[in-house]
């Protein structure tokens, strides 16, 4: 085995074609966050992006995209922004994981959305979790029947609110794959408001993430594209979503809605209509990602699996990293495993967001903010 580390932008046409070939050959890799286009886009914006090109007998057998931070700390490509990462390779490729880290000049590699069961990393999986999906391989109607079976009451309630929204605010219309950048701006403004309102970090306060989203929105090939959907009541946008797709899978990324229409549950109404549009567009699946949102349980018709874990080589930086991350990871796992704790944590964050917003509104106009611009 030979491992060469390069920037994704340095990959030639034949290497990019090989990446796509390997990805298409393995259904477990059918995720746009594993696509070469996403790696190249990240590399344009972040200096720490790298890819290990793995060859055997002169033929490329795998690619390992990652981020290399200070002191050799390795992170998955896209980090907290993505819901899937791993090794893009021939089936059943098994490398010495620590030798891979050594070649990548990493002392540690932490993962939390790794494609489960990859032989190189299996021994380091500390936990494996389900990621709910909407599966349309048997057709949209079959999926809808599964949703009805999951929770007839929920589906009936959402359909009632859908009709009520249309009656009171105008006929509903879903726009699939909108190319309009202004529509994207509307969605991102809603999402920023949601982050602040719920006490979470506003990702779009970071200009590079906005730029990445714009770059992804401009992508449109048969194998990879950004997909912007927007639900309208009459001519008024009420809920939308921006995600990425391969030829057959759409991955959930940034859903949001206008809170003025909150009583109609526009986000769920949008998801139902987006599912139908995705199936009509020839997609086989919408990957909703792991997480504690209850709506995923009754919209799902299948699951994929992603793993959490850690690989390290003996070093001071790996030890410090372990001390800093392990308590947080354990606490997160405990909360995610218990729906009551998850809901309680969500309420606390939302309460914090409301208090913070209220305090901001009460500040005199000439007040000096104590928070630096762009602080997380």
């Amino acid at each position: 085995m030979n491992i060469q580390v390069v920037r994704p932008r340095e990959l030639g046409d034949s290497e990019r074609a090989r990446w796509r070939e390997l990805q298409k050959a393995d259904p477990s890799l059918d995720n746009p966050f594993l696509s070469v286009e996403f790696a190249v886009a990240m590399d344009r914006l972040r200096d720490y992006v790298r890819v290990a090109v793995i060859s055997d007998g002169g033929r490329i057998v795998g690619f390992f995209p990652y981020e290399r931070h200070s002191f050799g700390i390795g992170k998955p490509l896209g980090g907290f922004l993505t819901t899937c990462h791993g090794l893009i390779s021939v089936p059943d490729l098994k490398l010495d994981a620590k030798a891979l880290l050594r070649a990548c000049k990493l002392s540690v590699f932490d993962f939390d959305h790794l494609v489960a069961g990859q032989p190189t990393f299996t021994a380091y999986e500390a936990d494996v979790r389900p990621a709910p999906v909407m599966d349309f391989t048997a057709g949209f109607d079959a999926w809808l029947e599964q949703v009805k079976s999951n929770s007839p009451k929920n589906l009936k309630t959402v359909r009632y609110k859908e009709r009520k929204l249309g009656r009171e605010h105008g006929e509903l219309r879903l726009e699939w794959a909108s190319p309009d950048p202004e529509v994207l701006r509307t969605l991102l403004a809603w999402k920023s408001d949601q982050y602040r309102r719920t006490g979470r970090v506003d990702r779009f306060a970071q200009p590079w993430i906005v730029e990445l989203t714009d770059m992804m929105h401009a992508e449109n090939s048969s194998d990879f594209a950004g997909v912007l959907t927007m639900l309208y009541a009459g001519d008024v946008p009420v809920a939308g979503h921006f995600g990425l797709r391969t030829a057959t899978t759409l991955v959930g990324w940034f859903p949001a809605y206008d809170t003025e229409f909150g009583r109609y549950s526009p986000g769920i109404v949008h998801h139902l209509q987006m599912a139908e549009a995705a199936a009509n567009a020839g997609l086989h699946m919408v990957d909703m990602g792991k997480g504690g949102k209850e709506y995923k349980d009754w919209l799902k018709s299948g699951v994929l699996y992603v793993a959490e874990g850690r690989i390290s080589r003996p070093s001071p930086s790996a030890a410090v990293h372990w001390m800093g991350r392990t308590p947080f990871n354990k606490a997160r796992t405990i909360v995610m495993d218990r729906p009551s704790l998850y809901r309680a944590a969500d309420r606390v964050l939302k309460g914090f967001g409301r208090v913070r917003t209220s305090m901001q509104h009460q500040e005199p106009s000439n007040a000096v903010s104590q928070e630096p611009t762009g602080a997380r």
Side-chain angles (χ1 to χ4, degrees), residues 154-172:
N154 277 335
L155 183 60
K156 183 178 180 180
T157 299
V158 171
R159 287 306 195 195
Y160 168 76
K161 290 183 177 182
E162 181 180 48
R163 293 190 296 270
K164 184 177 176 66
L165 175 60
R167 285 196 308 270
E168 297 182 356
H169 294 278
E171 183 178 357
L172 300 188

Side-chain angles (χ1 to χ4, degrees), residues 27-310:
S28 73
L29 303 178
D30 186 21
N31 187 296
F33 289 126
L34 300 176
S35 297
V36 64
E37 290 86 354
F38 183 73
V40 171
M42 283 292 299
D43 185 29
R44 291 176 186 168
L45 299 171
R46 305 280 87 183
D47 288 336
Y48 44 65
V49 175
R50 299 289 185 273
V51 59
V53 182
I54 305 155
S55 302
D56 186 14
R59 180 166 175 75
I60 295 176
V61 294
F63 297 89
F64 178 60
Y66 65 96
E67 296 178 5
R68 185 181 187 278
H69 295 263
S70 301
F71 308 108
I73 302 301
K75 297 181 181 181
L77 181 67
F80 63 90
L81 282 176
T82 62
T83 59
C84 187
H85 41 259
L87 189 63
I88 298 91
S89 71
V90 295
D92 300 323
L93 178 66
K94 186 173 183 178
L95 304 173
D96 181 326
K98 293 189 178 182
L100 177 61
L101 261 61
R102 188 181 306 113
C104 295
K105 298 182 179 179
L106 299 178
S107 57
V108 62
F109 182 70
D110 229 356
F111 55 87
D112 60 2
H113 289 80
L114 189 86
V115 177
Q118 292 196 331
T120 298
F121 304 112
T122 302
Y124 302 93
E125 294 178 352
D127 196 11
V128 176
R129 294 184 172 277
V133 301
M134 306 180 199
D135 187 343
F136 311 128
T137 52
F140 174 77
D141 290 340
W143 170 79
L144 195 60
E145 282 301 311
Q146 180 62 57
V147 171
K148 185 176 180 180
S149 175
N150 292 344
S151 180
K153 182 179 179 181
N154 277 335
L155 183 60
K156 183 178 180 180
T157 299
V158 171
R159 287 306 195 195
Y160 168 76
K161 290 183 177 182
E162 181 180 48
R163 293 190 296 270
K164 184 177 176 66
L165 175 60
R167 285 196 308 270
E168 297 182 356
H169 294 278
E171 183 178 357
L172 300 188
R173 169 178 62 89
L174 184 93
E175 183 179 16
W176 171 263
S178 170
D180 191 341
E182 290 306 312
V183 174
L184 182 61
R185 296 275 81 75
T186 296
L187 177 68
L188 299 192
W190 290 342
K191 196 66 181 178
S192 287
D193 177 67
Q194 177 191 339
Y195 286 139
R196 294 190 295 267
R197 191 176 67 250
T198 57
R200 293 165 172 84
V201 174
D202 180 6
R203 295 177 179 179
F204 299 110
Q206 301 185 54
W208 77 268
I209 296 180
V210 176
E211 188 174 355
L212 174 66
T213 307
D214 287 339
M215 290 169 62
M216 295 295 90
H217 185 218
E219 289 277 354
N220 187 20
S221 70
S222 59
D223 291 329
F224 183 88
V227 179
L228 174 62
T229 54
M230 183 61 74
L231 177 68
Y232 293 86
D235 294 325
V236 179
V238 297
H241 172 264
F242 180 68
L244 303 179
R245 67 152 179 83
T246 62
T248 55
T249 296
L250 173 67
V251 171
W253 207 8
F254 298 121
Y257 61 88
D258 186 342
T259 56
E260 292 295 320
F261 297 89
R263 64 187 179 277
Y264 301 101
S265 300
I268 302 298
V269 172
H270 165 271
H271 262 57
L272 287 174
Q273 295 210 8
M274 181 181 73
E276 184 171 11
N280 290 339
L283 296 180
H284 298 170
M285 183 182 299
V286 174
D287 182 345
M288 295 183 283
K290 73 170 186 177
K293 297 297 185 182
E294 292 181 5
Y295 74 85
K296 296 180 182 181
D297 283 336
W298 67 273
L299 289 182
K300 74 179 181 183
S301 56
V303 295
L304 302 174
Y305 290 93
V306 292
E308 302 175 7
R310 182 178 184 272

